[in-house]
Amino acid sequence: MSYEEFKKLYERCTSGNCTPEEQKMFEEYRDSFDLSDIPWLPEFGSKEKIEKRLKEDLHTRISTNQVRKLRLVYLSAAAAILVLVLSGLFISKKYFRAKDTMPYELASNKSTIKPGDNKAILILADGRQIALDSSKKGELFTQNNVTAENYADSTLFYKKNTSGSFHSSLLYNVMSTPRGGKYQLVMSDGTKVWLNAASTIRFPVDFTKTERVVELSGEAYFEVVHDAGRPFKVLSAGQVVQVLGTHFNVNAYQEEGVIKTTLLEGRVEVYGKNRLALSSGGALAIEPNEQAIFGNGQIAKVTVAAEDYTAWKKGVILFRNADIQDVMRKISRWYDIDVVYQGPIGKDTYSGEIPRNASFSDVIKILTLDDIHIKVSGRKLIVSS
């Protein structure tokens, strides 16, 4: 069986569109599958072990008729062969023969493009700016009897010096992460915030007696300390999330077009500014593993795997049936690059994950496995059909 014939047969069988005769043929090929026709390099690891895993995976796919799109999984060189078959990817065998046959181009300064890191800018109420990173440890300032300290784990911690006291006037600070940055914040009430890349949060140095309100653009994960007398609100481009104490994620990047609020623990209410987003004029309540989608003055909710939407907090860029633009938006934010499209954009979708500490060169290699044509020039990623 030729390479092209096997590729077509594979696609039909794993999508459940093959005939009984084709499935039988595929099973026979699976049982006789070997890697003898592929030039083997020592860094690929044990050919026998990989061949065994390939057969087992093919058996699983044939039995369950799973449909698997491109899986963007960052693997070591020893698992490179597995990416091709375990992920349903097929490219020319010349990929394995020499480095100069890679189907993408990298500029000579590729080493300057690195994964994101812990960094942010803090803007104080008086306009002063403080660059934050893991090297700036210790006490930074005191405002309204609240002391801000920067910890070695890249967490900015606001600690009240006088318990139970409140100031009549609010002082606001703003924390912003650049593209390729992330940071953690503990506010004066103990609420924890993880700020993703290219995001900004505006918050009081200390909250009032009656409520806790912050403003967000970009993406953040919140673990809100319960306080029955002071609801916690997150304002984002016309949307309001209101809670008493819970764990949730808000994705409010402007370029996404909608705001997604995903609940992991507790219960939250989501509504538009002045509660006008719903025809009833009320708020939409969501439970764990539900997501509120806000856009065009309307709110809807869907059931999701909530952990998928906080994978970034755990160091993973995760995709679930994402189109190429969604894939590139996440990569561009974390690696601080610009993306330019040339020609029509394909309608394929992609699923999988890339560790956020993966080198940019490895990310490009992963993307090109599904014939995504990429050229890197400086900090610009050119994607073409």
Side-chain angles (χ1 to χ4, degrees), residues 147-151 155-159 184-187:
T147 298
E149 296 185 21
N150 197 45
Y151 290 3
T155 300
L156 183 63
F157 193 102
Y158 283 68
K159 183 178 181 180
Q184 296 181 41
L185 169 67
V186 179
M187 291 183 281

Side-chain angles (χ1 to χ4, degrees), residues 212 222 224-226 231-233 240-249 261-271 275 282-290 292 301:
R212 298 169 290 170
F222 294 84
V224 177
V225 170
H226 182 79
F232 191 98
K233 299 179 181 179
V240 181
V241 179
Q242 179 170 315
V243 304
L244 295 177
T246 187
H247 298 181
F248 62 98
N249 190 83
T261 302
T262 309
L263 187 62
L264 284 85
E265 189 177 303
R267 186 174 183 271
V268 307
E269 292 185 340
V270 182
Y271 52 90
R275 294 182 181 264
L284 179 70
I286 60 173
E287 305 289 341
N289 287 314
E290 290 185 339
K301 70 177 178 179

Side-chain angles (χ1 to χ4, degrees), residues 100-114:
D100 60 4
T101 62
M102 293 300 294
Y104 65 90
E105 299 177 47
L106 286 175
S108 59
N109 65 339
K110 63 181 181 295
S111 61
T112 64
I113 301 178
K114 300 181 182 300

Side-chain angles (χ1 to χ4, degrees), residues 1 9 13 18-31 62:
M1 183 183 300
L9 181 62
C13 288
C18 64
T19 65
E21 292 75 17
E22 288 175 328
Q23 180 160 331
K24 181 179 179 181
M25 183 187 303
F26 196 7
E27 291 174 353
E28 291 174 352
Y29 186 84
R30 177 203 70 211
D31 295 335
I62 293 168

Side-chain angles (χ1 to χ4, degrees), residues 68-73 83 86-87 89 320 351-352 366:
R68 297 192 181 187
K69 295 290 187 181
L70 166 63
R71 288 186 54 80
L72 304 176
V73 182
V83 176
L86 297 184
S87 302
L89 309 178
R320 288 284 184 265
S351 295
I366 293 167

